[in-house]
Amino acid sequence: MAHIVVLGAGLGGTIMAYELRDGLAGEHQVSVVNNGSHYSFVPSNPWVAVGWRDRQAVEIDLAPVLARRKIGFHPQGARRVHPVERTVELNDGSSVSYDYLVIATGPELAFDEIEGLGPEHNTQSVCHIDHALKARTAFDALVAKPGPVVIGAVQGASCFGPAYEFTFILDKALRDARVRDRVPMTFVTSEPYIGHLGLDGVGDTKGLLESEMRQHHIKWICNAKVDKVEPGNMFVQELADDGSVRQAHELPHAYAMMLPAFRGVAAVRGIEGLTNPRGFVLVDKHQRNPAFPEIFAVGVCVAIPPIGKTPVPVGVPKTGFMIESMVTATARNIGRLVEGKQPDAQGTWNAVCLADFGDSGVAFVAQPQIPPRNVNWSSSGKWVHTAKVGFEKYFLHKIRAGKSEPFYERLALQALGIDKLKQIKVEASTDVPGA
C-alpha cells in the first residue's frame, strides 16, 4: 500500500487529491495537509473586495468533502518537509509519513520585501480572502471620501491578471457608487508594457488592455519599481529599457492595491535540491523533483524561469488550465510509479484565462503558455464577464461535490468556442520498474 500526501488544498492541491483518489486503487491512501479546513476560491477575491461577494459565497469546508471521498485530512498545516525522512512535520508537532508527496502549497506573499507594502501596512491585497475583506472596508471608506487610487503589481510579481481585473472592477464599482469622477486612477506595473502579463503578451493583449485603460480614463506607469509606500503616498521609479531611472514618481493615494512578489513557503524554502533560491520547487518534465524523485509539485509553487530579461523583474504566471495540466500529468505519473512503471506524462502547460472587468472582460489562449506558441489569441467583450461568473459557480460546485473532472474544458473552452485541449502528453511506453 502506498501513501500519497498532498501538501496544500488550493486550486491545484484539492483537485490533485480528488484525481489521485479517482485514479488509485482503494488500498492506497491519499491524505491532504493544509493550513485550515476551508477552501477559498481566490479568483473571486476582486469581487469580494468591492462587496459583490461575501466569504460564505466563495469558501467551502473541505473536511466533510474529503471524509466522504475517503481522503485523510490534516488541517494543522505544515511546519517543514523532511525529504530524506519522507515526512511532513505539522504545526502541532506531529508528523505524516509519505511514499509520494505532491507539493501544492501556492506561494508565500513577499510583502516584507518593500517597505510599507501589504494589508498590515499601507496597501491592500486581493491574494487572500482575509485581505479581500479588509480591502472591502477600505473600499467603503473610499466611496465615503473619494480620492486618488493606485492599483498594480510590484517588481518580481508573477500574477498580473488580478491587478488588471481589480482595476476595472473597482472602476465599475466606483461608477455604480457615482463617485468615479472624483477618483483619479493610476495603474503601476513592473511589466515592460501594458498587457505583457509575464508572458510577453498573448495575442493583442497590449492593444486590448491599453484601449480599455484609455476608455476608462486610467493612466499607467510601466517598468515600475516601487521603492516604498507611506500612508497616502507611493514612491515609484520608472526605469528605461537600459535599467536607468527615466523618472521618479510620488503618487498620492486614498486607496492602493498592489500585488506582491511571490516566494516559496517556509515549509520547503531553503531545502537544497528541492527548491531554487526563491523557494520554488524544482521539477522535471514529469513534475518530479530531480533530487527527491518521490516528490512532485504542481501550481504556483513550481519554479519556472522568466520568459526573457526585462528592465524590472517579472515572473511567469501559472494559470488555472496550466495547473490542471500539471495535476493530470502528476496523477498519472504517480499511478504508474505505484504500479512499478516509469512516469510518462507531461503537462502541456497551455494557458486559458478569463479576466473579468465587472461588466466585460478580456480572454486569452496561449498554447503553450511559454513562447513560441501554436495558438496566440485574445478577445474581449461582455461575454467574458458572463463566462467568469459561470466558471466560478461551476468550479465551486465541483469542489463541494469532490469531483476532479476538468472544469475549463466543460465551461470556459465551450464559451470561448475553442476545441478541447489535450491536457497532457504521454510518451512512448517504457514499462520497466520505476519505483
Side-chain angles (χ1 to χ4, degrees):
M1 181 189 79
H3 184 199
I4 299 90
V5 173
V6 180
L7 180 55
L11 185 151
T14 305
I15 297 299
M16 186 78 251
Y18 295 167
E19 203 154 321
L20 284 167
R21 185 67 285 162
D22 289 340
L24 294 172
E27 68 265 21
H28 301 298
Q29 184 180 358
V30 178
S31 298
V32 172
V33 175
N34 190 58
N35 188 17
S37 63
H38 285 82
Y39 170 86
S40 180
F41 188 64
V42 173
S44 294
N45 285 346
W47 294 338
V48 173
V50 295
W52 296 353
R53 297 287 190 279
D54 58 19
R55 181 189 289 272
Q56 291 70 32
V58 301
E59 276 196 345
I60 296 168
D61 185 359
L62 288 175
V65 183
L66 295 175
R68 189 171 67 247
R69 291 299 318 273
K70 295 181 171 55
I71 296 170
F73 191 35
H74 303 274
Q76 305 98 311
R79 179 180 297 162
R80 193 67 169 170
V81 172
H82 299 283
V84 175
E85 295 83 2
R86 297 193 183 188
T87 62
V88 179
E89 179 186 357
L90 305 183
N91 285 324
D92 64 358
S94 63
S95 64
V96 178
S97 61
Y98 61 83
D99 295 292
Y100 296 100
L101 174 67
V102 182
I103 300 174
T105 58
E108 183 175 284
L109 308 174
F111 292 117
D112 60 298
E113 294 181 344
I114 298 175
E115 180 184 347
L117 189 71
E120 299 303 317
H121 299 285
N122 303 314
T123 61
Q124 305 301 324
S125 163
V126 293
C127 296
H128 189 278
I129 181 65
D130 292 340
H131 299 167
L133 289 167
K134 188 171 183 178
R136 164 69 193 279
T137 301
F139 167 74
D140 291 340
L142 175 66
V143 171
K145 188 177 180 181
V149 163
V150 178
I151 309 289
V154 306
Q155 57 270 25
S158 59
C159 189
F160 297 95
Y164 286 103
E165 283 194 302
F166 187 65
T167 298
F168 294 108
I169 287 170
L170 182 62
D171 169 85
K172 173 66 163 60
L174 292 170
R175 283 188 279 121
D176 290 346
R178 298 289 191 267
V179 297
R180 177 65 177 88
D181 59 312
R182 290 180 279 163
V183 181
M185 295 181 68
T186 304
F187 188 79
V188 175
T189 179
S190 52
E191 300 162 275
Y193 58 83
I194 292 296
H196 180 278
L197 303 171
L199 296 169
D200 199 14
V202 181
D204 190 28
T205 49
K206 181 179 188 294
L208 285 173
L209 289 170
E210 283 188 355
S211 177
E212 292 285 347
M213 292 276 191
R214 292 189 184 96
Q215 290 179 34
H216 290 82
H217 310 285
I218 299 166
K219 297 180 180 179
W220 65 80
I221 301 171
C222 296
N223 282 332
K225 178 178 178 292
V226 178
D227 288 330
K228 64 178 179 178
V229 188
E230 296 178 349
N233 225 4
M234 186 180 299
F235 297 86
V236 176
Q237 294 184 60
E238 180 184 356
L239 303 189
D241 290 342
D242 63 0
S244 62
V245 178
R246 172 180 290 160
Q247 186 176 354
H249 300 268
E250 188 173 329
L251 303 175
H253 59 266
Y255 182 105
M257 196 294 292
M258 296 295 292
L259 299 180
F262 293 163
R263 61 184 171 224
V265 301
V268 299
R269 195 167 62 241
I271 298 176
E272 186 175 356
L274 181 64
T275 63
N276 70 8
R278 288 290 293 180
F280 294 108
V281 182
L282 302 166
V283 296
D284 62 15
K285 63 183 180 179
H286 298 127
Q287 304 298 137
R288 196 180 192 187
N289 178 254
F292 303 99
E294 65 280 354
I295 296 180
F296 293 74
V298 300
V300 180
C301 66
V302 170
I304 301 178
I307 285 177
K309 186 176 181 180
T310 53
V312 181
V314 300
V316 177
K318 290 92 171 180
T319 62
F321 191 88
M322 183 183 189
I323 294 171
E324 182 188 347
S325 174
M326 295 180 184
V327 166
T328 300
T330 299
R332 177 182 172 92
N333 288 334
I334 290 176
R336 286 179 62 83
L337 285 168
V338 168
E339 295 172 354
K341 301 175 183 178
Q342 289 283 5
D344 67 351
Q346 301 177 43
T348 55
W349 287 21
N350 294 319
V352 179
C353 183
L354 301 171
D356 174 59
F357 291 169
D359 53 4
S360 63
V362 169
F364 66 79
V365 178
Q367 301 180 46
Q369 178 162 298
I370 310 300
R373 302 181 177 114
N374 295 315
V375 176
N376 194 45
W377 174 91
S378 60
S379 183
S380 62
K382 294 184 181 296
W383 63 270
V384 179
H385 171 72
T386 302
K388 187 66 175 277
V389 172
F391 162 60
E392 174 201 48
K393 296 182 183 302
Y394 185 87
F395 185 64
L396 286 170
H397 168 73
K398 291 301 176 187
I399 295 293
R400 291 189 185 97
K403 295 183 178 180
S404 66
E405 64 184 81
F407 45 93
Y408 273 112
E409 294 179 355
R410 293 296 182 90
L411 178 70
L413 295 182
Q414 291 178 8
L416 293 170
I418 300 168
D419 291 335
K420 180 178 178 180
L421 301 178
K422 189 175 182 180
Q423 292 181 37
I424 60 173
K425 299 175 183 177
V426 177
E427 300 164 355
S429 178
T430 53
D431 292 343
V432 296

